[in-house]
Amino acid sequence: MVKLYKKVDNKIQCDLCPNLCKPDNLKFGACNIRKNVDSKIINPYEGIISSSSLDPIEKKPLYHFLPGSKIYSIGFFGCTLKCKFCQNYAISQFAPRAPQAITPEEFVNFLIKNNYKSVAFTYSEPLLYYEWVYKTSKLCKEKGVKTVLVTNGYINPEPANELLNFIDAANIDFKSSKDDFYVEMCSGHLTPVKEFIKIAFNKNVHIELTTLVITDLNDNIEECVEISEFISSLSKDIPYHISKYHPAYKLNKRPTSESTIMEWTMEASLRLNYVYAGNVSFSNDTYCKNCGNILINRDYYTADIKNLNEDGTCRQCLTDNNIILH
Ligand SMILES: [Zn+2]
């Protein structure tokens, strides 16, 4: 595993995320999770899980990866970003309270024993628990368990490259097309996120992207144009989720209107083949990009697979619609 810290100007620098914090001895980085202990950066909370649940994979959201399946999902604590609108702030912006830790071996044995075929690292920012997620994902690969990351993509290229060798699919936040938004709302930057998306795509990880559209902050249609242009520069077949905002944490804006979400969905569909709206009342079915045949019928978090061959191609025209069934 890649080393995640080094000495810079007589300080110890954490190399995990683009923040590149240099905490003094026994102090934490900006994430409040990773800590300098005697010139090593460690995670004193390694293996401490905040929550776990067997979720429909549609809830991650992943719409083209094992559709209709349940995925065992676990979360940790902390985040590399500090989004004022965080929808999971109770675990992302606080350190662990429960001392109970589990090792990667124990956890993977638990998955096997319960016959869980896939696992998602989600809820908080899983990349912060890098060592644990890395070891667990590697073990999962050995045992044939599929691995999923739900992440903000805010990590440096070296650790990203190494971890993604053991990841099957990821939903990555694309919070805004503007660096200013990342700076002001999230205490981060846009470029590293785009880099992470490119790395994951080039390593053949199945990726889907999500934007939480927030009233007055990133709801300008120009942002939708820029984001969908970036995605289509990689592939028109990457599923893109446009999600409606509800007030949370330190931000209290009006919930995003469904007409805004509809407008974004239509705009993104000019460049992308699979665009979905999240947290809204209208339908999110998947249609064949070639013949228009319905392939997956969705109702909230249930997915009814129709007209697909075993290899994920359309039964009518044999087109590959970037759907992984097994
Ligand atoms: Zn077709």
Side-chain angles (χ1 to χ4, degrees):
M1 197 179 66
V2 64
K3 196 166 168 234
L4 293 169
Y5 57 89
K6 65 173 172 293
K7 204 166 185 182
V8 177
D9 304 331
N10 262 330
K11 295 275 238 173
I12 300 300
Q13 173 176 291
C14 177
D15 288 328
L16 178 67
C17 93
N19 287 331
L20 299 175
C21 297
K22 297 185 190 70
D24 291 330
N25 194 31
L26 302 180
K27 298 284 183 205
F28 289 94
C31 59
N32 278 320
I33 296 291
R34 303 185 72 83
K35 187 180 186 184
N36 176 356
V37 177
D38 301 333
S39 301
K40 288 188 180 121
I41 300 286
I42 62 153
N43 174 2
Y45 309 117
E46 174 148 335
I48 299 181
I49 289 168
S50 62
S51 45
S52 59
S53 172
L54 190 63
D55 289 340
I57 201 160
E58 281 71 23
K59 208 173 169 179
K60 302 297 103 190
L62 285 177
Y63 277 12
H64 287 225
F65 185 76
L66 312 180
S69 72
K70 293 267 171 59
I71 185 162
Y72 194 78
S73 304
I74 57 165
F76 310 97
F77 292 91
C79 191
T80 46
L81 295 175
K82 300 263 170 277
C83 303
K84 292 176 181 159
F85 49 86
C86 183
Q87 313 273 304
N88 281 321
Y89 65 95
I91 54 171
S92 76
Q93 300 301 324
F94 298 94
R97 290 163 295 271
Q100 198 76 350
I102 184 167
T103 67
E105 291 78 13
E106 287 166 343
F107 180 68
V108 176
N109 285 340
F110 162 83
L111 295 176
I112 304 288
K113 208 174 122 192
N114 288 282
N115 207 19
Y116 296 139
K117 308 268 191 232
S118 57
V119 63
F121 307 107
T122 175
Y123 305 137
S124 63
E125 178 45 59
L127 295 175
L128 258 188
Y129 276 54
Y130 187 88
E131 295 88 347
W132 196 91
V133 169
Y134 177 88
K135 288 177 212 158
T136 303
S137 302
K138 206 173 166 192
L139 276 173
C140 281
K141 286 292 88 194
E142 289 167 24
K143 306 280 185 189
V145 176
K146 302 261 194 238
T147 53
V148 164
L149 272 180
V150 181
T151 177
N152 62 22
Y154 207 60
I155 184 175
N156 286 322
E158 261 206 325
N161 255 300
E162 209 176 9
L163 175 63
L164 290 170
N165 290 330
F166 307 108
I167 298 295
D168 293 293
N171 187 297
I172 308 164
D173 285 345
F174 198 135
K175 294 174 192 285
S176 168
S177 64
K178 310 289 184 200
D179 189 57
D180 286 355
F181 180 93
Y182 271 89
V183 173
E184 285 160 27
M185 298 306 298
C186 309
S187 307
H189 286 284
L190 169 63
T191 306
V193 176
K194 282 178 158 178
E195 280 308 303
F196 180 81
I197 293 169
K198 282 188 209 163
I199 292 170
F201 177 75
N202 289 328
K203 288 188 94 84
N204 280 325
V205 175
H206 172 86
I207 59 171
E208 304 194 12
L209 304 178
T210 299
T211 302
L212 181 71
V213 181
I214 306 170
T215 314
D216 300 337
L217 285 181
N218 65 350
D219 59 351
N220 193 305
I221 201 70
E222 181 193 311
E223 294 226 22
C224 178
V225 172
E226 288 171 355
I227 295 171
S228 52
E229 277 175 351
F230 171 82
I231 301 172
S232 71
S233 75
L234 299 175
S235 165
K236 286 175 172 307
D237 288 345
I238 296 173
Y240 180 41
H241 302 263
I242 295 166
S243 194
K244 175 181 159 137
Y245 155 87
H246 294 282
Y249 198 38
K250 294 179 181 170
L251 193 72
N252 194 14
K253 296 274 182 194
R254 272 191 334 276
T256 317
S257 70
E258 296 213 348
S259 62
T260 300
I261 301 295
M262 180 66 95
E263 193 191 352
W264 270 60
T265 309
M266 283 160 61
E267 181 64 40
S269 298
L270 299 175
R271 294 167 205 89
L272 302 170
N273 288 323
Y274 312 103
V275 180
Y276 302 105
N279 301 336
V280 291
S281 56
F282 41 91
S283 133
N284 262 321
D285 299 334
T286 299
Y287 297 92
C288 175
K289 66 174 176 183
N290 179 48
C291 71
N293 202 1
I294 188 160
L295 303 177
I296 305 175
N297 188 246
R298 291 191 191 79
D299 186 20
Y300 290 96
Y301 295 133
T302 63
D304 189 13
I305 297 167
K306 296 170 180 285
N307 306 315
L308 279 173
N309 294 314
E310 278 293 293
D311 63 357
T313 55
C314 171
R315 203 172 279 165
Q316 189 161 286
C317 73
L318 300 180
T319 296
D320 180 354
N321 284 278
N322 188 24
I323 297 169
I324 298 167
L325 289 178
H326 303 286

